[in-house]
Amino acid sequence: MTDIRLPKRWTPTARNVLHAAAFFVVSFVLFQIWVHRAFQGHYWGPFLPGFRFGFPAREAAAFGMFPVTEYGWDAQFYYYQSNDVFATHDSVPHSDNPAYRYQRIGVPLAAWLISRALGFSLTPPILYHVVQFACFALGFFFLIRYLRAHGVSVLYAYAWALSAGVVNCLAFGMPDPVGDAMFIIAVVACLEGRLLLYVAATIFLVLVREAYVVFAFGVFVLTAMGRVAFGDRPRWLQALVVGLPGAVFLGWRKYVTLQIGISPSDAAMGGSLLDWPLLGPWKSFAKAWKSEQWGEIVTLPLGVVLLAASTWLIVRHRTKSVWYAVIPYVLLLWGLGTTVWDEYSGYMKAFGTPLIAGIMCLAYTKSRWWRGLLLVTAAHGVAFQYWVKNKAFFQEWAPPPPVEAGAQAHEAALKSVAATLSGPAKSEVWDGFHGIFSRWHIGLRDMIVHVRNDGDEPWHPLPRAGLHAMNVSYHWYDESGKTLLLDGLRNPIAREIPAKAEADVKVAVQVPPPGKYVLRFSMLQEGDSWFYLAGGSSYDVAVEVR
């Protein structure tokens, strides 16, 4: 996209705007397709609302939210804050750590302001995502503008935009990519001497993630020393204005402390957030190796290499004083503990800033190894996200039904896999989803399947999942018999089914796009066999989705 063909009268700024706008549109459309594939089109789904924390009453009633995991991820709390920015309603009881979460009010505040300006009484989930993607695209605009101005291919900006941490956080509504974007704008504002732009971006920055106050303090010190200048204004006035982000940061933390009853710093104590340099990644790598987590075994060393390489570039090519303000923040990342390093979703999202700084250093270096590493980072991000999300499907989560006392567990494959299934009509017509994304939409339909154990052994309800677990599942075929979905959702039996006994099993079925299909139900024992492939029977239903 470096050589977009436009009339010569189009200025570089116009080209950058077009590029960033196209990036926003394409990325958001892809996001919507994924939401329809993985969350049945529910835009609150990527926040991963958890069963354990429940929902604020207003959001639950307005958007029909239901839990999709047991605990969820952090974005659920930030979304709730977008409807309760001052912690005066009911979001606090539904947060894992209210004071710690509320210090990061940046994105929720922006979404609250925009949604209320548009007349919404609650922030629509899709609008929250639009705000995040728009902020991200704005940062992308400033990055490609910077690169093009220094004669560097704008394609290197995609090493950040497509990195695993950025894509993962943007998809699930996490604020970190917005922090990265504001960091880009703040650095460019410093380099260009644009005081008001710097202040606006940095206020947003420190309210997105508290650690960025280290960068803001560094710029304040450099401004007071005269090493960073914003025009011909008196140095004291520049320092005073540059100090505003720090004042806003401290003022908001004071409000959070008074409102919630505990300071964000005290709320963050405990766990393994910080450690000695490199000790955190070493512990996490050893843990991943022992448990054979191959994704982490590959990704964690890449994260260390990226951090090391970008740190080296920033220190070596600090030709502009503003990079001195970046160095303390980057060094802080070296002391992260296992809380961050245990999973790529933790450390990769934190490394957006050094990755961006390294990309911006391309203005001062022609290092081939660094450029090659950036391409590897982009390729890894795309491949890793495809691997993680391609088959992801989230449905309503609820605690599994209790198992009767003394229930036994399967410790080996069944010797007899005879079963009879019945229940739904042999032919059904379903109403599917209709809209722009109907081609990709996957809905959910509950069906009751009647099963009879025709074998000589009982079917035990344990284990719930994993090797030897007993489930009812299904395949989808087209009319010609071509397999469209081989592994349907697993639906465990709720109680022991003795030999020759019968039971009804509630089966959640993914609804495909409009068309004619064959739906095949079968019992299976995980890791051993589908019954109909080992001499047992199946039950086929002709389904037309309209």
Side-chain angles (χ1 to χ4, degrees), residues 28 166 254 336 433 498:
F28 196 68
V166 167
K254 183 64 175 178
L336 295 176
F433 174 84

Side-chain angles (χ1 to χ4, degrees), residues 268-431:
M269 297 299 289
S272 304
L273 187 60
L274 296 175
D275 208 330
W276 292 102
L278 286 178
L279 195 57
W282 172 252
K283 292 177 180 177
S284 296
F285 184 81
K287 178 181 177 181
W289 183 270
K290 184 177 181 180
S291 56
E292 298 184 352
Q293 300 177 33
W294 300 111
E296 296 298 334
I297 290 171
V298 172
T299 304
L300 198 149
L302 176 62
V304 174
V305 171
L306 280 174
L307 182 58
S310 57
T311 302
W312 181 80
L313 284 169
I314 295 167
V315 172
R316 182 180 180 187
H317 300 287
R318 57 192 188 281
T319 57
K320 301 290 185 180
S321 294
V322 66
W323 295 115
Y324 284 98
V326 178
I327 292 173
Y329 178 81
V330 174
L331 294 179
L332 178 65
L333 298 180
W334 281 101
L336 295 176
T338 53
T339 297
V340 177
W341 282 102
D342 269 353
E343 189 182 42
Y344 82 98
S345 61
Y347 56 84
M348 291 302 287
K349 71 179 182 182
F351 293 163
T353 298
L355 180 59
I356 290 164
I359 293 171
M360 298 182 78
C361 282
L362 290 175
Y364 320 126
T365 180
K366 296 187 180 299
S367 172
R368 292 183 177 180
W369 65 265
W370 174 239
R371 293 169 189 251
L373 184 58
L374 291 177
L375 295 177
V376 170
T377 300
H380 167 267
V382 173
F384 197 76
Q385 295 305 317
Y386 180 82
W387 174 53
V388 169
K389 295 185 175 64
N390 184 43
K391 295 184 178 180
F393 181 81
F394 295 84
Q395 60 189 105
E396 183 171 1
W397 189 94
V403 176
E404 298 174 356
Q408 300 182 46
H410 290 284
E411 298 180 356
L414 292 171
K415 297 178 181 178
S416 173
V417 292
T420 300
L421 284 76
S422 60
K426 278 290 187 177
S427 179
E428 294 198 358
V429 178
W430 299 351
D431 289 325

Side-chain angles (χ1 to χ4, degrees), residues 506-536:
K506 182 180 178 181
V507 180
V509 178
Q510 293 168 298
V511 181
K516 294 183 178 181
Y517 307 92
V518 174
L519 174 61
R520 173 168 294 172
F521 293 101
S522 175
M523 291 293 302
L524 77 151
Q525 188 175 25
E526 297 294 342
D528 299 312
S529 67
W530 290 79
F531 281 24
Y532 78 96
L533 293 176

Side-chain angles (χ1 to χ4, degrees), residues 118-272:
L118 293 175
F120 294 104
S121 59
L122 291 175
T123 303
I126 189 172
L127 180 60
Y128 190 95
H129 293 295
V130 168
V131 170
Q132 292 227 130
F133 274 82
C135 291
F136 179 72
L138 184 62
F140 185 78
F141 163 77
F142 275 90
L143 182 57
I144 61 176
R145 173 177 171 270
Y146 171 90
L147 293 176
R148 184 170 274 138
H150 288 82
V152 179
S153 172
V154 298
L155 292 178
Y156 288 108
Y158 285 90
W160 164 62
L162 299 179
S163 62
V166 167
V167 176
N168 194 57
C169 288
L170 204 58
F172 287 106
M174 294 290 286
D176 304 86
V178 176
D180 292 347
M182 294 304 109
F183 172 77
I184 294 169
I185 298 172
V187 170
V188 170
C190 284
L191 294 174
E192 297 180 355
R194 301 172 67 176
L195 181 59
L196 295 182
L197 180 63
Y198 167 79
V199 171
T202 308
I203 287 176
F204 198 2
L205 181 65
V206 298
L207 293 180
V208 169
R209 184 173 283 276
E210 66 283 355
Y212 282 115
V213 76
V214 175
F215 165 74
F217 179 74
V219 174
F220 171 76
V221 171
L222 292 170
T223 303
M225 294 172 59
R227 298 294 299 273
V228 171
F230 294 91
D232 298 326
R233 303 175 182 87
R235 187 188 302 178
W236 68 267
L237 179 60
Q238 293 185 39
L240 181 65
V241 177
V242 167
L244 284 177
V248 172
F249 172 79
L250 294 175
W252 177 249
R253 287 173 68 88
K254 183 64 175 178
Y255 174 82
V256 170
T257 301
L258 294 174
Q259 181 67 20
I260 298 179
I262 182 174
S263 72
S265 298
D266 291 339
M269 297 299 289
S272 304

